[in-house]
């Protein structure tokens, strides 16, 4: 005992060779239990059953292909309408469209329809491929934002500008008139030109003036010569005192 309690032994330290560790373990108290018969019936009754399609799936084409074909057909129809508008109309005006109340839009279309001008809404995705492959490709820079077309089989430029002046939400960007592309300033200058009938009258007057001047110039020399001869005859008549067309007679005494 004295050896065990000596200070040298406690100074070195002592550890037991065997250690007991208590591990806590939980008992499994929840086991699988069969569902009650009433609950099984309730779950079977309330189970969702998807409706069967009217047409069998094997008889229906994939939905994605149908949508693509329908969209492609509709886009082709819109492109054909744009091509017809550029082919059948002499005046195609490109305007920038801002928000306009429905009543004002109906009123504007009514005023334009009085002058045989139609309003067409177009999409840039539709009209840009059409213009890029036509002779109107210089109009492509105008189709950037939302645009509308004002088309007419006649060149009713003055009437169109008069209607657009009262609608500030519609801005004229340019136009194609008689296969000639014009800017906004060019359209305004075109509206100041006289009508086609007045231009025809001025042209005919100018063309008729040139032959009349030519004819007068050709007759000027003959008429001038005739006037000189008449003056010379009158001068001879004044000197001799005899009537015109008679020669002066000589007396026999002088012979």
């Amino acid at each position: 005992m004295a050896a065990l309690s000596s200070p040298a032994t406690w100074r070195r330290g002592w550890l037991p060779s065997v250690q007991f560790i208590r591990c806590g373990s939980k008992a499994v108290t929840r086991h699988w239990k069969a569902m009650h018969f009433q609950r099984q019936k309730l779950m079977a009754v309330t189970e969702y059953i998807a409706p069967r399609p009217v047409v069998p799936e094997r008889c229906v084409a994939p939905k994605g292909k149908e949508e693509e074909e329908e969209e492609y057909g509709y886009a082709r129809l819109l492109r054909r309408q744009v091509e017809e508008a550029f082919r059948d109309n002499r005046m195609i005006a490109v305007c920038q469209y801002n928000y306009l109340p429905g009543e004002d839009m109906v009123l504007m279309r009514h005023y334009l329809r009085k002058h045989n001008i139609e309003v067409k809404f177009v999409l840039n995705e539709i009209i840009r491929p059409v213009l890029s492959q036509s002779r109107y490709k210089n109009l492509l820079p105008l189709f950037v934002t939302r645009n509308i077309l004002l088309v007419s089989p006649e060149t009713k430029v003055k009437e169109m500008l008069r209607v657009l002046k009262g609608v500030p939400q519609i801005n004229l960007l340019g136009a194609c008139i008689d296969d000639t592309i014009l800017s906004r300033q060019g359209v305004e200058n075109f509206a100041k030109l006289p009508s086609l009938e007045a231009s025809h009258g001025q042209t005919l007057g100018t063309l008729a003036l040139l032959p009349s001047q030519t004819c007068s110039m050709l007759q000027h020399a003959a008429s001038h010569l005739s006037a000189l001869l008449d003056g010379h005859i009158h001068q001879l008549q004044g000197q001799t005192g005899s009537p015109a067309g008679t020669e002066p007679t000589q007396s026999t005494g002088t012979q």
Side-chain angles (χ1 to χ4, degrees):
M1 295 297 293
L4 293 175
S5 61
S6 62
T9 304
W10 291 106
R11 192 178 298 115
R12 290 194 303 266
W14 174 83
L15 293 175
S17 59
V18 180
Q19 297 181 1
F20 296 95
I21 299 175
R22 184 178 179 181
C23 298
S25 61
K26 297 182 180 180
V28 179
T29 59
R30 302 183 66 179
H31 298 279
W32 179 84
K33 185 178 181 182
M35 188 182 297
H36 195 272
F37 181 70
Q38 296 292 338
R39 187 173 181 181
Q40 290 182 11
K41 291 196 296 183
L42 179 63
M43 295 294 292
V45 171
T46 58
E47 183 181 2
Y48 173 75
I49 300 177
R52 296 180 60 183
V54 179
V55 181
E57 296 182 359
R58 62 179 180 275
C59 300
V60 180
K63 186 175 181 181
K65 293 183 179 180
E66 284 186 356
E67 293 180 353
E68 291 178 0
E69 291 178 0
E70 182 179 359
E71 182 179 359
Y72 176 75
Y74 183 62
R76 185 170 52 186
L77 174 63
L78 294 178
R79 293 193 186 105
R80 189 183 303 118
Q81 291 178 354
V82 172
E83 293 175 357
E84 292 176 355
F86 276 85
R87 184 178 62 250
D88 301 336
N89 295 282
R90 297 175 56 191
M91 183 185 73
I92 301 104
V94 184
C95 301
Q96 180 184 2
Y97 175 75
N98 299 314
Y99 172 75
L100 187 65
E103 297 180 356
D104 297 342
M105 188 65 190
V106 172
L107 192 61
M108 184 194 74
R109 299 183 72 168
H110 172 69
Y111 287 145
L112 291 174
R113 196 176 292 110
K114 284 184 176 181
H115 304 291
N116 198 15
I117 302 175
E118 296 292 336
V119 179
K120 294 185 178 296
F121 290 86
V122 295
L123 298 175
N124 295 338
E125 295 80 5
I126 300 298
I127 194 170
R128 290 182 68 88
V130 176
L131 295 181
S132 61
Q133 300 176 359
S134 66
R135 57 183 176 179
Y136 306 106
K137 60 179 63 177
N138 291 333
L139 289 173
L140 284 174
L142 301 181
F143 293 92
V144 178
T145 57
R146 191 177 182 185
N147 302 96
I148 60 174
L149 296 180
L150 306 181
V151 299
S152 174
E154 304 175 3
T155 56
K156 298 294 187 68
V157 181
K158 292 182 180 180
E159 293 79 0
M160 180 188 65
L161 293 178
R162 190 182 304 116
V163 175
L164 292 181
K165 188 176 181 180
V167 187
Q169 292 86 350
I170 307 297
N171 301 321
L172 179 64
L173 302 178
C176 179
I177 302 175
D178 289 335
D179 297 334
T180 303
I181 298 176
L182 302 174
S183 62
R184 178 186 177 90
Q185 186 63 36
V187 175
E188 294 177 354
N189 295 337
F190 184 87
K192 297 177 183 178
L193 296 176
S195 61
L196 187 60
E197 291 77 9
S199 301
H200 286 169
Q202 294 177 0
T203 304
L204 291 175
T206 303
L207 294 176
L209 180 62
L210 296 177
S212 62
Q213 290 179 352
T214 304
C215 183
S216 61
M217 290 177 63
L218 293 175
Q219 293 178 356
H220 177 70
S223 61
H224 184 63
L225 179 60
S226 177
L228 290 178
L229 293 175
D230 289 341
H232 183 66
I233 291 172
H234 287 300
Q235 185 178 3
L236 291 177
Q237 289 177 354
Q239 292 178 359
T240 59
S242 60
T246 60
E247 295 181 357
T249 58
Q250 296 181 358
S251 61
T252 57
T254 58
Q255 296 177 353

